[in-house]
Structure formats: C-alpha cells, structure tokens
Amino acid sequence: MDYGVYASAERYLRLFRQFDPITEVLAGKLRLMESMGFDLGQGFIFGFSYGGHVAVEASKRVGVRRLEAIDICDIAGPAFDFRRAHIDHRSAAKNVQCVHTSRDKGSRHTTTCHQNWKMGTCGWFQTAAADPPKGSHGLCPYFYLSAFTNDFLAVPKPMGCMARKLATHWPSGFKMGYNEHRKWKVQGELFALTTKEYPYTSNATEMNALDFFPMLASESEQTEMDIDFFVETTKKP
C-alpha cells in the first residue's frame, strides 16, 4: 500500500485521521483474496511503523487469528499510543512478532505481541542510527531484511534494560525475523544486539553477550556508549 504522499512528518496527523479508511482497503483486499480461493490460514503480512497498525487492525477485521503470521517493524507510537490504554495485537494472527528499535517514533507498548524483540540498546536506539530515513526508527526494516541472511540471536536481558514480560526461555540459536520457525515455542520480551555497520548484527552467542554489553551511559541517544568494540569481541570465529 502506498500512502507516502501523507507520510511526511508535517502530514502525519492527516495520515493518522485516515487510518480507518486505509485499514479498510487492506481488509477488503484480504476478503477479496479469500473469496477467490486464497487460504488466509497461510497468509503473512509485514508492516512497518504506521503500516504495522494497519496490518494488525485489517487482519482483526477479517477475523480473530485467521492469518498465519504478522511481522511488525517498530510499530508507530505517536498518536496511536494515546488512543487506547491497552493494546493487544496477538489476536490479529496465529503469531505476531514485533521488533522495536526506537523510543521516539516507536510505540511505548512493547509487550503487545507474541514475541517482542528489543533491538540494540533496549529497543530505544541503535548505534547505526543516522539522519532520517535511517534513524533508529527507520533502521528497523533494514535489520529485518538483513535477518534473512544474518542471524540476530536472542541474548540475555542486558544490564540497564527493563522488561515487564521477559521471555523465560528460548531454543538455542533462536533469532529475530521471518526465518525463525520455532516462534510458537517462545513468548515475551527478547533482546538482540545490533552494530553500527551492515549486516547490523554481531552474531553474538547467548553465553557471552551479557558479559560484553555495556551499561547504559544515559537515556539520551547523544550520550549513548559505543558498543562496537564489545560486539566485535563476541563474533563467532
């Protein structure tokens, strides 16, 4: 779906006001596909930012958990976070995976999906962040695409990060992205390291990632500690 003409920062509120009709376009497309013989039970949708909300809401409109899976990249927070006190995306599909990369543009609701990945520094910001469109928010789709050929492995919760519904266990080698086929075994908040350069992952092992992840210097992106050295030392030989 292309609604880019409304997607600039100065037009964001206008885009937000069009959420229901835009969502209904996608819901109508799903109904049409089903009427033509498509099995929604094998359907998959990816959504980024505002599109993440469109994906889950449209899927709910065609039925509870009818789609196989939805993956969401840094679902938008501005305007949406204040519309509802409680948000739960899990009824939109049999599995909903959320990837969080920013605190300013991403949602503050970080426990709304089956798997809730917090990338980089607590899901708040990324060392690779630059000017838009590749800020911490815009990097999420780049991480997701990189995950098709590079592993963003789950690591223990880094010191200084918060978690309300932490995943208590995960299989060895469990990773963020479309290619992880054991999602049904894991629910809760998960953490993965990111790096400054492509492929944006250190391939850190589960055992040593916690030892090398630095404590947060502060909550501001400007004073964030550079973790390049730490993640380089955790690379697999």
Side-chain angles (χ1 to χ4, degrees):
M1 298 179 67
D2 183 6
Y3 40 80
V5 66
Y6 301 111
S8 61
E10 61 271 18
R11 295 182 178 179
Y12 181 76
L13 287 179
R14 182 179 178 184
L15 177 64
F16 176 75
R17 295 188 188 103
Q18 298 301 313
F19 177 73
D20 283 335
I22 289 175
T23 297
E24 189 55 35
V25 170
L26 179 57
K29 180 65 71 173
L30 291 172
R31 296 186 193 104
L32 176 62
M33 291 171 62
E34 184 177 32
S35 71
M36 297 173 66
F38 178 72
D39 181 5
L40 292 180
Q42 296 182 357
F44 170 81
I45 298 178
F46 171 84
F48 165 56
S49 190
Y50 177 94
H53 287 284
V54 173
V56 294
E57 181 60 28
S59 300
K60 290 177 181 179
R61 291 185 184 185
V62 299
V64 174
R65 297 186 182 91
R66 297 202 58 201
L67 271 76
E68 177 64 26
I70 298 174
D71 284 353
I72 303 173
C73 243
D74 213 33
I75 194 166
F80 288 98
D81 278 357
F82 300 100
R83 190 170 69 163
R84 288 173 289 180
H86 176 70
I87 301 174
D88 190 342
H89 302 312
R90 291 173 295 181
S91 63
K94 295 181 180 69
N95 192 87
V96 182
Q97 175 182 222
C98 283
V99 183
H100 299 280
T101 60
S102 75
R103 185 176 56 177
D104 57 340
K105 295 181 175 63
S107 176
R108 61 186 172 87
H109 298 288
T110 58
T111 59
T112 59
C113 303
H114 294 95
Q115 298 85 38
N116 302 278
W117 287 93
K118 294 185 174 182
M119 310 298 290
T121 305
C122 308
W124 290 345
F125 41 76
Q126 312 302 318
T127 56
D131 293 333
K134 285 190 176 181
S136 291
H137 181 61
L139 279 169
C140 192
Y142 291 89
F143 293 169
Y144 186 83
L145 289 173
S146 177
F148 279 92
T149 51
N150 303 281
D151 292 344
F152 290 77
L153 299 177
V155 300
K157 184 180 77 67
M159 187 179 301
C161 294
M162 297 180 293
R164 289 182 294 163
K165 296 181 180 179
L166 185 66
T168 56
H169 66 277
W170 53 84
S172 177
F174 193 76
K175 58 192 178 183
M176 179 275 289
Y178 180 86
N179 287 336
E180 178 55 70
H181 301 300
R182 300 166 294 174
K183 298 184 184 77
W184 59 275
K185 294 184 176 182
V186 180
Q187 291 198 28
E189 293 169 281
L190 296 146
F191 293 83
L193 303 181
T194 62
T195 60
K196 185 175 290 186
E197 305 293 339
Y198 182 85
Y200 306 118
T201 175
S202 65
N203 284 327
T205 65
E206 296 176 7
M207 292 183 62
N208 63 18
L210 185 60
D211 297 332
F212 289 105
F213 200 101
M215 294 182 64
L216 299 181
S218 76
E219 292 189 354
S220 69
E221 192 159 359
Q222 288 72 27
T223 58
E224 173 192 356
M225 291 183 68
D226 192 329
I227 68 169
D228 280 358
F229 167 75
F230 295 90
V231 296
E232 284 292 326
T233 60
T234 62
K235 282 187 176 179
K236 293 179 180 179

